[in-house]
Amino acid sequence: MSDVVAEKAPSAVTRPAPQKRSYEWTFATAGSVLLAIAMVWLIPPYASDLLSGGVKPATIADPAHTIIGDGGDSTAQAWLIGWDGHSLLHGFQGLWATNAFYPDRYALALNDSLFGYVPAGLIGNGVVAAVLRYNIIFVLAFALAFLGGYALLRQLGANPVAGALAGAALAYAPWRYGHVAHLNILSTGGITLAFAMLARGHGWSLTKGFQRDRVRPGWAVAGWLVAAWQVSLGFAVGLGFVYLLAVAFLCGLVGWLIRGRPALGRRLIIGDLAGGAVFAAVTLYFAYAYQQIRNLYPNVVRSWDYVAAFSPKPRGLLVSPAFSLLWGDRHEDARAALGNAPNEKALLCGYALYLLAFIGLFVSAWTLRQRLLLLGGTIVGVLFALGTNGPTYRLLYLYVPGFDGSRTPGRLILWPTILLAVLAAGFVTELARTAREATLPQWSAAAARAMTVPLLILVLAEGMPDMAHVATPVEPAAMKAAPAPMMVLPSDDGVDSNVMLWSTDGFPTMVNGVASFTTPNHQAIRDVMQSFPSQPSLDLLRQWGIRSVVVVRDRVAGTPYEATVNAQAVPGVTRQDIGPDVLFTLGN
């Protein structure tokens, strides 16, 4: 996507042959995927076995019958992708209502939709297909995060090793492992890739600024389309992306005016208008759906006290989530001191990244002004990520639409991570240039690699994950036999995640569903069903047209629904034992 910048001086810049550039991106893409497979799936079991002295024997997980994460939220996200594909096959009928959360409307908007992954949802049917496709997309999300970071830094003017280091820092930053069950949070590669494409399309880099002869309108259009795709995944990270992209566009416009409005070319202007229109249309479409949730359920807005409960402390910047191979166990006590939801408050971007970015403030391929701007942006981004523990988040909460519905401010650490990666890449690029100049020509390339590749390996080693691969629960036979609409008991956020995954086998209409916000209808039926088959519970079921109730025996023990497994049939309700579970069917 960008030419190789070997030196700071223009005279030392050579334009690679087109075939060489093509090979670079072929290798970069393939390498990103292979690295993600190794980092997420293959290497961690053996590394964990080595670090534990054999206490954790190496075992490669089965991608069709285990799922990455805690087996809770990750199964609900696997359902989301499956539902998107199922809806597309049926002409998007009931897309926003979904088969879950019955009878609520716009239920898909209770979560990030992950709609951008809809093509994958077209492949296969049932639980095994849902799990397999989720695991594949999970790995590809890391690959895209690496490739996007690499592309952005190459376009800005970094050398290949520096670009790879930035990609590694962005894909495998330890804080990301606090969201192993949240594919919507891990899917950030489209952000950096869109910025890279837009910068290339507009002929802009950090090292050379705007170059009219480097304008590529097609890349600009591609950048807008990738940005639209990123937004379609959801607003958890997409909301900040939309605002920052708008700010970047305004800054570019102001810069263009200040420089005397240099000619851009009609094709670029048309491309920006067309691509920007698509981006705006996609953003507004999803924003409209999320606004419907706010209209239907005003309580979805988070209170300031609620946000405070999930706001990270400054020391969280030095603490790793549990799923980091290197730091997870070592930071257990420090993590516990962060309070509730400690993994989401652990914001470690990587000690190696911190060090390289710090050196990059003083030794860099970027100008002093650029470094100061990157430093300022990093500081501001960190203050926002601290939520109520920082002085600036209230501005977002009160005055920027959408942020008052965000649960976890710590997710904003993504933006400081990007800026730190740019600072670190500036240092690595300059280090490579210095090594070349200090070495005989025939040894210059080898000297540059010898100085910089170990830094890349250091970032990758620190970013090694140790993620759990949990066996997926088997769908109860009673659920397959139940007429829809149905409800599965017990119903809580943990069990309903699994029920949503089970429902990918045919997508029957059901009450069960889990989101970060529980609607009044959903809570009301959960409460009344604790006394099933009492008359109030039967009245509500009939009022909503629910035809069956499935009780999963091995899940009800110790829950408020425990008595339902031994409930007998009452007039108008039949009981059928199917395996260990029970199916209650309501008559008319």
Side-chain angles (χ1 to χ4, degrees), residues 36-392:
I37 295 172
M39 290 284 283
V40 174
W41 215 269
L42 299 181
I43 297 178
Y46 295 99
S48 180
D49 181 28
L50 180 64
L51 291 176
S52 68
V55 175
K56 300 178 180 178
T59 303
I60 303 299
D62 175 3
H65 297 93
T66 65
I67 194 163
I68 298 174
D70 58 4
D73 287 354
S74 50
T75 57
Q77 300 232 315
W79 164 83
L80 273 169
I81 299 170
W83 171 256
D84 290 338
H86 174 83
S87 177
L88 176 58
L89 288 174
H90 293 81
F92 293 122
Q93 181 179 359
L95 169 65
W96 290 102
T98 80
N99 70 302
F101 300 97
Y102 178 83
D104 288 325
R105 295 181 295 157
Y106 283 98
L108 186 62
L110 290 169
N111 294 290
D112 277 347
S113 70
L114 295 179
F115 188 78
Y117 292 133
V118 66
L122 300 174
I123 303 172
N125 298 291
V127 174
V128 171
V131 170
L132 180 59
R133 79 166 73 94
Y134 175 86
N135 286 327
I136 292 172
I137 292 173
F138 188 93
V139 171
L140 293 179
F142 281 84
L144 185 59
F146 182 97
L147 182 63
Y150 179 85
L152 178 60
L153 267 299
R154 292 291 284 129
Q155 176 58 35
L156 293 181
N159 73 0
V161 176
L165 185 144
L170 294 175
Y172 304 105
W175 69 261
R176 285 168 58 86
Y177 305 137
H179 302 277
V180 293
H182 304 143
L183 181 61
N184 56 324
I185 307 300
L186 297 174
S187 298
T188 58
I191 293 174
T192 45
L193 187 60
F195 277 127
M197 290 177 166
L198 287 168
R200 179 168 176 79
H202 291 82
W204 186 86
S205 68
L206 279 178
T207 50
K208 294 187 176 181
F210 172 70
Q211 294 178 285
R212 191 178 186 285
D213 62 326
R214 304 300 297 166
V215 169
R216 300 290 185 270
W219 282 104
V221 173
W224 287 113
L225 296 180
V226 171
W229 173 82
Q230 176 70 48
V231 170
S232 75
L233 295 176
F235 274 18
V237 295
L239 183 65
F241 175 51
V242 169
Y243 285 120
L244 284 175
L245 187 54
V247 169
F249 176 80
L250 290 176
C251 290
L253 180 61
V254 170
W256 177 71
L257 292 173
I258 291 175
R259 287 170 174 77
R261 295 184 293 180
L264 297 176
R266 187 171 68 174
R267 291 179 60 207
L268 179 60
I269 294 173
I270 293 174
D272 275 340
L273 291 174
V278 171
F279 174 75
V282 170
T283 299
L284 291 173
Y285 173 72
F286 285 95
Y288 173 82
Y290 294 126
Q291 183 60 42
Q292 299 313 301
I293 291 295
R294 295 169 72 94
N295 294 340
L296 289 168
Y297 313 111
N299 289 336
V300 75
V301 174
R302 311 295 188 183
S303 69
W304 187 249
D305 289 340
Y306 184 96
V307 174
F310 289 92
S311 292
K313 297 177 174 64
R315 63 174 176 268
L317 294 164
L318 301 176
V319 180
S320 168
F323 291 119
S324 166
L325 181 64
L326 186 60
W327 303 121
D329 291 341
R330 293 176 173 85
H331 287 187
E332 184 176 0
D333 292 339
R335 210 165 36 248
L338 297 178
N340 66 307
N343 281 313
E344 292 186 314
K345 294 180 179 178
L347 304 184
L348 179 65
C349 302
Y351 292 114
L353 180 61
Y354 289 156
L355 176 61
L356 295 174
F358 177 75
I359 299 174
L361 290 172
F362 306 98
V363 180
S364 180
W366 320 135
T367 66
L368 177 60
R369 177 172 173 270
Q370 290 168 345
R371 283 175 269 160
L372 291 176
L373 287 173
L374 290 168
L375 174 61
T378 300
I379 293 173
V380 171
V382 167
L383 292 177
F384 280 134
L386 295 178
T388 62
N389 293 315
T392 57

Side-chain angles (χ1 to χ4, degrees), residues 412-429:
L412 295 175
I413 196 64
L414 165 67
W415 306 103
T417 307
I418 293 174
L419 299 180
L420 289 170
V422 176
L423 279 170
F427 163 63
V428 173
T429 299

